[in-house]
Amino acid sequence: ESLKTLALSTLAAGALIGGGSINAYNRLSPLQAIDNVLDSPATGAEPNSDVGSSTYMGLSKSFIRAALQYIAPSEGVKYKPYKDSKGKWTVGIGHLVLPGEVFTTTLTPKEVLDLFVKDLKEHIVRAQKLTPQYDQYPQYVKLAILDGIYRGDLSQSPKTRQLISSGKWSDAAKEYTNNREYSQSKRLGDKHGVWKRMDRNAHMFKT
């Protein structure tokens, strides 16, 4: 609940609004508009399922919500394609535009959600391969692992993953932030978010 409060307060401040008018979605913040899709009988229910289904595209709705609240404030929500800090075309919630994908119109909240869930499912499979005991971890650790894979920093740190798999959580947290990008970001101060995001994940590892 505290993560949700933090996420929604960030949204209320306008930090995630971009690539499309907020007025088009009844003045809801982007994350609120996307979250509402999960409860919408018209668009949220899966084919041949009850309107009250607890899943969406094969994933638990409660887990999707938790992932949205944990990842979206850092990634941002963009209804139109943009170039990220590395010059890669991105859309939605950190979705890297793949070869053959074309986005010529402003996305709807449902389209953003569908891209996010598709990516989330792929990242879960990757997390299960990189950290074999992933399914046994508490949800907050799963989210931190997924966020690290989303950014790419955990994928590029085999030592951190080995420490996680060995249950050496404090050592894993320390190794995770023993990272050039983390150090460079921290030198830039509070206005740069990478180190804050990595600190949050490290905190989840050692909690």
Side-chain angles (χ1 to χ4, degrees), residues 70-87:
Y70 195 89
I71 296 170
S74 299
E75 288 289 340
V77 177
K78 301 288 187 180
Y79 292 114
K80 292 181 179 179
Y82 67 98
K83 284 191 176 182
D84 67 9
S85 60
K86 297 180 180 178

Side-chain angles (χ1 to χ4, degrees), residues 25-182:
Y25 306 113
N26 299 319
R27 296 188 181 279
L28 290 175
S29 69
L31 189 54
Q32 288 172 317
I34 292 164
D35 185 273
N36 284 356
V37 174
L38 292 171
D39 293 324
S40 170
T43 58
E46 296 204 43
N48 304 315
S49 70
D50 293 333
V51 169
S53 172
S54 62
T55 63
Y56 185 92
M57 292 176 63
L59 280 185
S60 159
K61 287 182 180 179
S62 63
F63 187 78
I64 293 171
R65 281 196 165 95
L68 279 168
Q69 293 155 11
Y70 195 89
I71 296 170
S74 299
E75 288 289 340
V77 177
K78 301 288 187 180
Y79 292 114
K80 292 181 179 179
Y82 67 98
K83 284 191 176 182
D84 67 9
S85 60
K86 297 180 180 178
K88 296 181 179 180
W89 282 104
T90 308
V91 72
I93 303 171
H95 173 79
L96 290 176
V97 178
L98 302 174
E101 287 186 328
V102 180
F103 299 93
T104 58
T105 60
T106 300
L107 298 185
T108 65
K110 184 180 187 306
E111 288 170 330
V112 171
L113 175 64
D114 288 356
L115 278 176
F116 177 75
V117 175
K118 175 179 176 290
D119 289 344
L120 190 61
K121 291 168 73 173
E122 292 174 357
H123 289 326
I124 288 172
V125 171
R126 187 175 176 92
Q128 291 167 333
K129 292 179 180 178
L130 293 176
T131 53
Q133 299 180 66
Y134 170 85
D135 290 334
Q136 301 174 30
Y137 297 144
Q139 180 167 286
Y140 64 88
V141 173
K142 290 180 179 179
L143 294 173
I145 289 173
L146 288 172
D147 192 57
I149 291 174
Y150 231 94
R151 279 210 71 252
D153 45 58
L154 189 58
S155 305
Q156 297 167 14
S157 180
K159 189 171 181 180
T160 299
R161 300 197 308 271
Q162 182 179 13
L163 290 167
I164 287 174
S165 296
S166 300
K168 298 179 180 179
W169 295 103
S170 293
D171 291 341
K174 185 176 180 180
E175 177 62 28
Y176 177 66
T177 55
N178 182 24
N179 175 287
R180 180 181 298 175
E181 189 176 8
Y182 173 87

